[in-house]
Amino acid sequence: IPVFILAGLLVHCVFLVSIFDIYFSSPLVHGMTPQQTPLPPPAKRLVLFVADGLRADSLYELNSNGTPQAPYLRGILENNGSWGISHTRVPTESRPGHVALIAGFYEDVSAVAKGWKENPVEFDSVFNESKYTWSWGSPDILPMFAKGATGDHVYTFCYAAESEDFGAQDAAKLDLWVFDHVKSFFNSSRSNQTLFSALNEEKVVLFLHLLGIDTNGHAHRPNSREYKENIKKVDEGVKEIASMIDHFYGNDGKTAFILTSDHGMTDWGSHGAGHPSETLTPLIVWGAGINYPQKVTSQFFEDNFLKEWKLENLKRLDVNQADIAPLMASLIGVPFPLNSVGTLPLEYLNNSAHFKAESMFTNAVQILEQFKVKMSQKKENTLSFLFTPFKPLSDSEQINFLKKIRLCIQQQKYNEAVSLCKTLINLALEGLSYYHTYDRLFLGLSIAMSFVGWTTYVILVIIKTHTNLTKTVPTNNKKSTVLSYGFAIAGMIIAFFLLIQTCPWTYYVYCLLPVPVWYAVVREIPVIQDLAANVLSLRISQSIGFLLVCILGIEILVFSFFYRSALTVGLLVFAGWPVITQLWVQAKTIALIWTLLCVLLAIFPLMPVVGREPNIPLVTAAGLLTLLISCFSLASLCGSKNKYRNNEDLKVYFYQMLSIGLSTYVVSSTHDSLKNKLGLPVLNQIVSWMILVSSPVLLLLSPTFLFQRLFSILLSLMSTYLLLSTGYEALFPLVLFGLMFVWINMEQEALQHYGLSLKPKLAVFNFAYAVDITQFRQLHLDDVRRSFFFVFFIVTAFFGTGNIASINSFDPASVYCFLTVFSPFMMGGLLVLKVVIPFVLVSCAFEAVQVTTQLSSKSLFLIVLVISDIMALHFFFLVKDYGSWLDIGTSISHYVLVMSLTIFMMLMNGLAQLLTTQRLELPRRTKHHST
């Protein structure tokens, strides 16, 4: 079996990695020549303000008394410059946002693994093309543009990473730091000749990254006073910097200013997904080469913001976030960034029609260059008779386009030239996407074949080794050698084809994987024949009914990933299970409790996603409720005449109850302290980390009797979970665990109901002695339901309190008891722990069900594997790389979740065995009994 498990892990890892190769490989190509507009630019220098986490509506809307949030900027867009909304793409995180602004392309998903900080791929940027760039701000953002730059002309000034503290008194000081440093930098240049002459060069960029708004939004939400005050401070700062720079250069009118944001923020202070509050960011541009405000009588946009903001009469110019990079390049006359896919927004430019046409032409040629490189790469790696080029942009078409545009510019038909350029840009972008997804269908089919083969093989293994449906048939050696030769030859042919086309090594893995998988299936043909004979002997209605129930069950699970309410439907069906199967006749009380708890748990998926509104009193209530339940349990344990009871064990429970009490206190006092802007109390932080470390140790000290050990697991996990809770989710593990507890009892009744075994006494059942292999029985159809229950409960544990598939429910407030200084990996780790705790509860209960129903964990695990693989195949075809970015993000996370579910369940299974069977023995004092 270890061979089988290793093969399974390998196959699943291939499935998991495959979507990143098939759907999300890096779109960047290298080897293009830089393109620059031949005419002199309007500006010598550019000042870029990026207010991190600033929403469009937060900046543009008026206060309740009709005054603007940012008076200076409002004045600019009404009198001096152009404005609009910049539409960002998902993931709405700081790094991809800045890459789109400054390098002009949307970063591929592969950057997730780098925490959005490092450069997963080398890229060109406006900073790199400039003569000098000076930048001030956060250490998370600035270094990545300096790193990618050639030569030494991008200078960064950052504050310490520790300053990004969500619990601090006021994060606006991060922005004041930037403004003060820029002022002192300009002052110092007066006495530093080299710096002074560098500042007076052309093609200079000054970049101010303002993180305060984002930090305040996370800590206090965007509708808070702090967030709005921070916008006012930024407005004042921008005003001071702009007038200082104008003064420094003697008002020469050669400075262009751009203020925008990398992403917005939801009302509950998170970002990452595709909600309009996250993807709509402000863009205000003024200064050299920029159009003055254009008055209009009416303009139509699908959103109704213009009326709210009282800006109906000023022309709103919307752009995509990547269009800002070519705008900056054209303003100061540097080459467009090589990998940029943005289209120059001409309406912002106040320049001659000739300049606009030439700039647009440069833009078109720059994007066409990428298309050519991509096409030649594909052409080299494909056999000539298999290569189908992108028809609308064949070589002759490209030459045709460029000739036409050149001619139009010479004949001064500038508008015609611009519209031709736009057509060419759209075609080139389509072509880029066409070649980027060229091999997708072929790789997708390979993976799907492997999926189907693997699932079939697992089903055959279950039937062959764990049921008595088949007779063992002696293998025919002649047939098996012919088979192995046939499959070996097929594999060689595939490999040869890939070799001629110089494909990357991963293609070999994806295309050759179906060969061994299907070979294993075909070898089991006798089992298939036996199975067919057995099925045919059953009544047709029975077989079809069973199949329909299975399909319906799996579809409900798939649905629940998109609509959490599907879980509610499932749980309500579960509530009726004792009635449908007549189980309630023999165990009325247990069946009633089961039904009640199912209905209670069914409420959670209908609640809004966690983290929108913190509700600390509910967390306190959950803590007190846990203490109340533990008192009752302890009382019943003490009252029972249990010869296995030991006073030392009661101490363990007492310590666990103490840590629950402490957790409850720490959560409420920490949140009070943060509310009053006093930061995270050090004592609370120490206690939190101590509880986190000590709870698994206490758990392993408790006795291994079934109920005592499960109860101890609940107390240990609950004390950590409370510290990570901010609202109603604190009650979730309690209800879930109650249901799991009853489930163990219900399964006992089911065993008796089907006459499969006698009922063991659960009270004296000990996990440590439960692994006697001879007692295992063969599989029964009811075990398929058991496994399905397990998968269903696992999915409920996951989506019960929120849709964690969107990055959106990442709420830093959950980890405030442990740390408030921004640290993506530490915070991520704690949030993962919070997600895992309900999983562990379900896995431990399933372990108990396996042991008490005398089933080998392997056979149940194989059924679970089949269920989750069929789900995974659904999601493989539902992965998207287009459409709203929320859809893309969600579709990836769904697939990754289900794929990792199988790998994860193996780990959970191991962990559950460890938590239920292992026990740490403390050295005890020996007592002398007088005889």
Side-chain angles (χ1 to χ4, degrees):
I1 278 306
V3 179
F4 179 78
I5 287 181
L6 275 177
L9 270 172
L10 257 173
V11 170
H12 280 92
C13 288
V14 172
F15 288 164
L16 184 55
V17 176
S18 69
I19 65 156
F20 292 102
D21 251 358
I22 296 176
Y23 291 98
F24 303 103
S25 45
S26 167
L28 297 196
V29 284
H30 297 290
M32 289 78 64
T33 43
Q35 301 297 323
Q36 190 171 352
T37 311
L39 301 174
K44 282 186 173 179
R45 64 202 78 85
L46 175 99
V47 185
L48 173 66
F49 301 95
V50 176
D52 204 304
L54 174 60
R55 291 161 51 148
D57 55 348
S58 299
L59 180 69
Y60 293 139
E61 70 189 3
L62 300 170
N63 289 324
S64 46
N65 57 5
T67 55
Q69 294 278 5
Y72 174 71
L73 289 168
R74 181 78 175 200
I76 290 283
L77 73 88
E78 285 175 357
N79 309 315
N80 306 40
S82 293
W83 74 285
I85 284 179
S86 152
H87 296 263
T88 72
R89 284 216 201 156
V90 174
T92 43
E93 298 289 344
S94 294
R95 180 199 157 93
H98 281 89
V99 170
L101 286 171
I102 296 162
F105 68 91
Y106 300 105
E107 188 154 49
D108 53 316
V109 185
S110 60
V112 175
K114 302 277 195 303
W116 305 117
K117 283 190 184 180
E118 276 306 309
N119 288 4
V121 279
E122 285 308 309
F123 58 83
D124 186 25
S125 69
V126 175
F127 294 176
N128 187 31
E129 297 291 357
S130 70
K131 182 135 195 199
Y132 294 107
T133 295
W134 285 276
S135 53
W136 294 265
S138 152
D140 295 337
I141 295 298
L142 304 188
M144 72 183 183
F145 293 104
K147 231 181 219 174
T150 47
D152 185 22
H153 63 272
V154 178
Y155 304 101
T156 58
F157 304 94
C158 308
Y159 37 74
E162 289 71 51
S163 312
E164 299 173 32
D165 186 348
F166 294 134
Q169 280 129 352
D170 190 13
K173 63 173 191 279
L174 299 178
D175 298 344
L176 300 178
W177 185 97
V178 170
F179 294 136
D180 293 344
H181 275 72
V182 175
K183 286 176 202 162
S184 60
F185 172 79
F186 272 93
N187 287 336
S188 70
S189 73
R190 297 184 190 281
S191 54
N192 176 343
Q193 196 47 52
T194 36
L195 178 57
F196 187 79
S197 55
L199 276 170
N200 279 293
E201 291 276 1
E202 292 184 351
K203 302 180 184 177
V204 166
V205 178
L206 303 166
F207 170 42
L208 285 70
H209 175 240
L210 309 166
L211 188 67
I213 295 181
D214 183 65
T215 312
N216 263 326
H218 282 308
H220 306 288
R221 314 278 180 267
N223 293 322
S224 61
R225 189 179 51 80
E226 290 83 358
Y227 187 84
K228 290 178 175 162
E229 284 294 313
N230 202 154
I231 294 178
K232 281 207 168 54
K233 284 183 182 155
V234 165
D235 184 58
E236 287 157 16
V238 169
K239 179 181 179 178
E240 285 172 21
I241 297 293
S243 72
M244 180 202 72
I245 287 176
D246 282 339
H247 180 69
F248 181 87
Y249 289 109
N251 295 332
D252 64 354
K254 287 285 181 191
T255 315
F257 296 92
I258 295 183
L259 177 127
T260 184
S261 163
D262 52 352
H263 55 77
M265 187 173 281
T266 55
D267 289 341
W268 52 95
S270 72
H271 52 83
H275 190 268
S277 58
E278 298 162 273
T279 59
L280 301 182
T281 58
L283 172 64
I284 300 178
V285 192
W286 71 101
I290 298 299
N291 252 333
Y292 285 104
Q294 301 165 51
K295 296 273 188 288
V296 286
T297 45
S298 70
Q299 46 183 338
F300 174 71
F301 284 94
E302 281 182 0
D303 51 48
N304 296 321
F305 288 137
L306 290 168
K307 230 189 194 96
E308 283 173 41
W309 301 338
K310 305 239 183 319
L311 289 169
E312 307 97 316
N313 301 331
L314 288 175
K315 188 156 190 195
R316 165 177 152 187
L317 308 169
D318 281 18
V319 300
N320 289 323
Q321 197 171 32
D323 301 343
I324 296 175
L327 175 65
M328 297 197 283
S330 122
L331 285 172
I332 53 171
V334 298
F336 285 38
L338 293 177
N339 297 109
S340 163
V341 293
T343 311
L344 180 64
L346 290 179
E347 292 171 297
Y348 276 89
L349 297 182
N350 175 15
N351 216 315
S352 67
H354 183 201
F355 180 84
K356 289 183 182 177
E358 282 287 2
S359 300
M360 209 63 197
F361 183 57
T362 309
N363 194 177
V365 173
Q366 169 258 325
I367 291 178
L368 189 63
E369 277 285 313
Q370 294 180 68
F371 169 80
K372 285 180 180 166
V373 172
K374 195 91 175 170
M375 181 170 107
S376 63
Q377 281 179 2
K378 251 305 148 260
K379 211 167 184 174
E380 279 166 23
N381 290 351
T382 315
L383 294 176
S384 52
F385 65 91
L386 288 177
F387 181 71
T388 41
F390 180 65
K391 297 276 186 323
L393 269 189
S394 56
D395 293 348
S396 57
E397 279 292 316
Q398 294 176 27
I399 296 166
N400 218 347
F401 258 113
L402 296 176
K403 269 189 188 158
K404 266 191 199 163
I405 297 171
R406 264 276 146 250
L407 192 68
C408 286
I409 292 179
Q410 279 161 8
Q411 294 174 350
Q412 300 190 354
K413 296 180 185 164
Y414 297 127
N415 289 349
E416 206 174 307
V418 166
S419 69
L420 277 171
C421 288
K422 285 185 175 163
T423 316
L424 180 56
I425 287 176
N426 291 335
L427 283 176
L429 290 174
E430 264 176 54
L432 268 174
S433 147
Y434 170 82
Y435 285 121
H436 187 57
T437 60
Y438 192 78
D439 297 329
R440 182 171 297 174
L441 182 70
F442 147 72
L443 291 176
L445 285 174
S446 293
I447 294 289
M449 278 183 65
S450 311
F451 248 121
V452 176
W454 167 256
T455 312
T456 316
Y457 179 62
V458 177
I459 293 175
L460 291 176
V461 168
I462 295 173
I463 288 167
K464 188 174 157 188
T465 50
H466 297 283
T467 63
N468 22 21
L469 289 180
T470 56
K471 309 179 285 296
T472 44
V473 187
T475 48
N476 183 336
N477 283 347
K478 246 188 192 167
K479 266 188 185 170
S480 58
T481 32
V482 172
L483 265 181
S484 52
Y485 279 131
F487 275 95
I489 291 167
M492 281 152 96
I493 293 171
I494 294 173
F496 176 66
F497 248 94
L498 294 172
L499 193 67
I500 307 175
Q501 303 193 38
T502 57
C503 291
W505 64 272
T506 46
Y507 282 31
Y508 289 86
V509 178
Y510 304 142
C511 299
L512 289 172
L513 187 63
V515 178
V517 170
W518 279 98
Y519 172 60
V521 172
V522 176
R523 276 184 55 187
E524 304 291 347
I525 277 190
V527 180
I528 300 176
Q529 290 165 340
D530 268 8
L531 180 66
N534 262 320
V535 170
L536 291 174
S537 65
L538 290 172
R539 287 211 306 280
I540 292 212
S541 57
Q542 265 185 330
S543 324
I544 292 179
F546 177 68
L547 261 178
L548 280 178
V549 169
C550 288
I551 292 170
L552 186 72
I554 287 177
E555 291 308 316
I556 280 191
L557 279 176
V558 170
F559 246 77
S560 67
F561 276 71
F562 297 99
Y563 308 101
R564 288 167 52 213
S565 48
L567 291 173
T568 305
V569 177
L571 284 165
L572 293 177
V573 174
F574 281 9
W577 167 56
V579 182
I580 301 167
T581 53
Q582 298 289 307
L583 270 179
W584 66 281
V585 180
Q586 64 193 60
K588 290 197 173 58
T589 336
I590 292 182
L592 187 68
I593 299 175
W594 163 268
T595 306
L596 275 175
L597 283 170
C598 276
V599 172
L600 257 182
L601 193 64
I603 297 170
F604 283 94
L606 297 175
M607 304 278 275
V609 174
V610 164
R612 305 272 162 116
E613 281 306 315
N615 188 340
I616 302 302
L618 271 180
V619 183
T620 317
L624 296 175
L625 189 62
T626 314
L627 282 176
L628 190 69
I629 296 172
S630 21
C631 291
F632 275 116
S633 309
L634 269 187
S636 69
L637 194 66
C638 294
S640 66
K641 299 276 182 289
N642 190 343
K643 60 173 185 287
Y644 303 106
R645 186 168 57 73
N646 189 312
N647 287 342
E648 294 286 328
D649 302 337
L650 291 181
K651 279 186 193 165
V652 174
Y653 288 124
F654 178 71
Y655 288 133
Q656 286 185 309
M657 286 167 68
L658 183 71
S659 68
I660 295 259
L662 271 175
S663 298
T664 313
Y665 167 73
V666 166
V667 170
S668 60
S669 78
T670 300
H671 281 270
D672 281 348
S673 161
L674 289 174
K675 217 177 201 166
N676 302 329
K677 303 247 175 80
L678 299 172
L680 166 63
V682 178
L683 183 67
N684 285 11
Q685 195 173 9
I686 295 170
V687 170
S688 298
W689 284 103
M690 278 173 65
I691 290 176
L692 179 68
V693 175
S694 67
S695 54
V697 179
L698 284 173
L699 190 165
L700 291 173
L701 289 173
S702 69
T704 52
F705 294 108
L706 186 102
F707 286 143
Q708 294 178 24
R709 176 48 72 96
L710 284 178
F711 179 58
S712 175
I713 290 174
L714 171 70
L715 290 183
S716 267
L717 295 177
M718 201 59 196
S719 55
T720 310
Y721 198 82
L722 283 170
L723 290 172
L724 292 167
S725 298
T726 57
Y728 73 87
E729 81 268 29
L731 296 163
F732 180 69
L734 273 181
V735 181
L736 183 68
F737 187 74
L739 187 61
M740 295 297 95
F741 223 62
V742 181
W743 182 35
I744 299 169
N745 285 300
M746 285 295 286
E747 289 298 358
Q748 285 307 305
E749 302 296 339
L751 267 190
Q752 266 191 308
H753 183 71
Y754 289 107
L756 290 178
S757 77
L758 295 169
K759 186 170 167 186
K761 278 190 178 157
L762 287 183
V764 294
F765 192 91
N766 194 328
F767 277 120
Y769 311 122
V771 209
D772 177 7
I773 285 259
T774 51
Q775 292 181 339
F776 289 147
R777 56 184 178 76
Q778 293 286 31
L779 281 176
H780 179 263
L781 265 187
D782 198 40
D783 297 323
V784 177
R785 174 199 55 77
R786 239 169 234 132
S787 311
F788 177 75
F789 269 30
F790 173 55
V791 178
F792 191 90
F793 286 135
I794 281 277
V795 173
T796 308
F798 202 75
F799 289 116
T801 57
N803 148 15
I804 306 185
S806 83
I807 321 168
N808 221 342
S809 7
F810 171 91
D811 181 15
S814 307
V815 298
Y816 285 169
C817 289
F818 294 94
L819 75 167
T820 55
V821 176
F822 182 65
S823 149
F825 289 108
M826 180 73 86
M827 286 183 165
L830 287 166
L831 285 165
V832 167
L833 176 68
K834 179 179 175 178
V835 174
V836 166
I837 286 175
F839 274 133
V840 178
L841 289 176
V842 175
S843 299
C844 291
F846 189 56
E847 181 67 23
V849 167
Q850 278 175 12
V851 176
T852 53
T853 55
Q854 297 168 347
L855 261 182
S856 72
S857 54
K858 197 183 81 203
S859 54
L860 275 185
F861 182 73
L862 289 178
I863 304 178
V864 168
L865 195 66
V866 172
I867 296 174
S868 49
D869 275 348
I870 296 173
M871 285 166 65
L873 189 57
H874 273 78
F875 291 119
F876 180 75
F877 286 110
L878 290 171
V879 171
K880 287 184 179 170
D881 67 335
Y882 59 88
S884 105
W885 266 90
L886 177 60
D887 300 347
I888 297 176
T890 316
S891 71
I892 304 172
S893 6
H894 284 169
Y895 181 71
V896 171
L897 276 175
V898 177
M899 282 315 305
S900 37
L901 203 63
T902 37
I903 300 169
F904 189 68
M905 280 182 198
M906 291 187 182
L907 294 173
M908 278 293 145
N909 210 355
L911 181 66
Q913 272 178 351
L914 172 87
L915 290 182
T916 50
T917 55
Q918 297 305 314
R919 182 167 188 196
L920 297 173
E921 291 290 346
L922 288 182
R924 307 238 165 130
R925 293 193 301 279
T926 47
K927 295 176 184 173
H928 296 289
H929 294 284
S930 53
T931 45

